[in-house]
Amino acid sequence: MNNLSVDHLTGIKDLTREDIELIFKTADSFKEVINRPIKKVPSLRDITIANLFFENSTRTRLSFELAEKRLSADVVNFSASSSSVKKGETLIDTVNNILSMKVDMVVMRHPNPGAAKFLSERITAKVVNAGDGTHEHPTQALLDAFSIRERLGSVEGKKVVIVGDILHSRVALSNIYCLQKLGAEVMVCGPTTLIPKYIHELGVKVEHNLRSALEWCDVANMLRIQLERQEIKYFPSLREYSMQFGLNKEILDSLGKEIIVMHPGPINRGVEITSDVADSKQSIILQQVENGVAVRMAVIYLLASKIER
Ligand code: CP
């Protein structure tokens, strides 16, 4: 197979295992490209991409922009905080105005779950979801799984625990879909209040004791507490959360085995992970960021190949 089964990337749920493997194979080639002295290929010289960010971002936004530029696409950036959205313009009006400037692909981060899907059903340009509220963050899950494959040789059969604020996390949902499609076993770990009630329907294990979860896993993906999405108190204090669910060097070293530590960023050092763990040799946090560019190049390249020219 050399083409994706989808026309847009709105969620991992819509991808097949073959789609994910094709993205990884393509990303392998692009990883080689971005490590060359000349880090650019002319593949998308005739393509224009708009990055629409209605929510804050550091990694995802920079990573997409770099990926697009490494592929030689023309890039325009839009940030809601400095746009006419503030004057009451609707999402569709904003996007249609941008598209009338002959844009071929839209990469969008939006606070509303389903926003990317909504857009993909209403515009002719290709849509890539860069995070839609608490729903999905597909390219994050792809780069996470790609990083596990790189470090452990494959994802199949590996045990991955996702720790923290599962309830508000688009990273958790996309990771669950992606890892399961690739044959991994997935566990979630956190306070009862931060584990959604529907979690059992997804076929994942649930654990409320961090040590037990770490003893079970090959990989621990530590998530940030998303205070900006929490309207009520889900646990007594950050200090208490950290004491029960924070990963520190003492626990890591006492496991008697080497696990891999991941984090999608941004990190709250001293809350879900201590600095000595984040900066340890077991941490692949910065490799995840590096792989993000290659994986996003692959996604953009494969979707662009479906544009009728
Ligand atoms: N991992 C991630 O989505 O980070 P940003 O919010 O900085 O893009």
Side-chain angles (χ1 to χ4, degrees):
M1 194 181 84
N2 56 13
N3 225 339
L4 294 175
S5 67
V6 292
D7 288 330
H8 309 272
L9 179 58
T10 57
I12 299 287
K13 195 174 184 185
D14 303 329
L15 298 183
T16 62
R17 181 175 178 146
E18 289 70 33
D19 287 327
I20 298 171
E21 284 167 353
L22 175 63
I23 292 167
F24 287 180
K25 207 166 117 231
T26 312
D28 285 336
S29 311
F30 286 133
K31 183 147 185 189
E32 193 263 313
V33 168
I34 60 177
N35 281 294
R36 284 185 205 156
I38 297 170
K39 302 171 175 56
K40 223 168 158 161
V41 285
S43 318
L44 300 193
R45 246 185 345 212
D46 53 342
I47 296 289
T48 303
I49 304 178
N51 298 314
L52 314 188
F53 278 72
F54 294 85
E55 246 191 16
N56 295 342
S57 170
T58 301
R59 277 146 293 271
T60 311
R61 185 179 179 146
L62 284 175
S63 180
F64 267 112
E65 190 173 343
L66 261 180
E68 292 151 6
K69 288 180 172 169
R70 299 274 191 251
L71 289 166
S72 302
D74 289 322
V75 179
V76 285
N77 288 307
F78 162 95
S79 161
S81 58
S82 57
S83 73
S84 292
V85 170
K86 291 279 174 210
K87 299 175 192 164
E89 193 168 66
T90 65
L91 172 62
I92 278 294
D93 280 339
T94 300
V95 172
N96 277 332
N97 274 277
I98 293 167
L99 292 181
S100 64
M101 298 177 216
K102 311 286 177 234
V103 166
D104 304 293
M105 193 180 296
V106 169
V107 173
M108 184 173 77
R109 171 166 288 191
H110 198 280
N112 292 351
K117 183 95 178 152
F118 173 88
L119 202 61
S120 72
E121 288 163 355
R122 283 161 182 82
I123 64 173
T124 49
K126 303 293 173 207
V127 175
V128 183
N129 181 5
D132 59 336
T134 55
H135 179 226
E136 281 224 41
H137 191 350
T139 56
Q140 180 68 47
L142 289 167
L143 74 90
D144 289 343
F146 183 85
S147 302
I148 293 172
R149 165 185 176 265
E150 182 178 71
R151 181 59 83 98
L152 297 180
S154 83
V155 177
E156 176 90 49
K158 301 298 179 298
K159 294 176 175 170
V160 183
V161 64
I162 306 170
V163 182
D165 185 357
I166 311 300
L167 185 65
H168 299 100
S169 175
R170 53 194 175 208
V171 174
L173 189 59
S174 286
N175 259 270
I176 291 168
Y177 289 141
C178 190
L179 293 165
Q180 288 181 335
K181 282 176 197 258
L182 293 173
E185 279 186 76
V186 186
M187 174 187 279
V188 293
C189 176
T192 313
T193 49
L194 289 177
I195 307 281
K197 289 199 171 59
Y198 62 78
I199 200 78
H200 294 286
E201 292 164 25
L202 298 177
V204 301
K205 296 178 193 303
V206 179
E207 177 59 69
H208 299 293
N209 181 287
L210 179 64
R211 171 170 289 280
S212 304
L214 296 174
E215 282 169 356
W216 172 84
C217 76
D218 303 303
V219 179
N221 196 351
M222 307 302 297
L223 302 184
R224 180 176 68 86
I225 295 291
Q226 306 213 3
L227 290 174
E228 74 277 20
R229 298 192 204 280
Q230 298 182 7
E231 281 156 12
I232 57 166
K233 251 181 176 276
Y234 288 88
F235 47 87
S237 68
L238 279 181
R239 187 163 173 272
E240 186 154 322
Y241 176 83
S242 179
M243 282 166 61
Q244 280 198 50
F245 296 101
L247 181 55
N248 60 46
K249 202 76 172 63
E250 198 185 325
I251 306 176
L252 199 60
D253 290 346
S254 70
L255 293 176
K257 62 172 183 178
E258 281 230 340
I259 63 163
I260 291 171
V261 178
M262 304 176 70
H263 195 305
I267 299 175
N268 285 150
R269 287 175 185 255
V271 180
E272 68 274 7
I273 190 168
T274 54
S275 279
D276 51 5
V277 173
D279 302 331
S280 71
K281 66 175 173 48
Q282 282 165 262
S283 157
I284 59 166
I285 295 170
L286 292 179
Q287 286 95 311
Q288 289 173 257
V289 178
E290 179 184 342
N291 288 334
V293 177
V295 166
R296 290 183 172 114
M297 283 173 83
V299 167
I300 293 164
Y301 174 83
L302 290 166
L303 287 179
S305 72
K306 303 191 115 191
I307 295 173
E308 282 171 31
R309 302 183 211 184

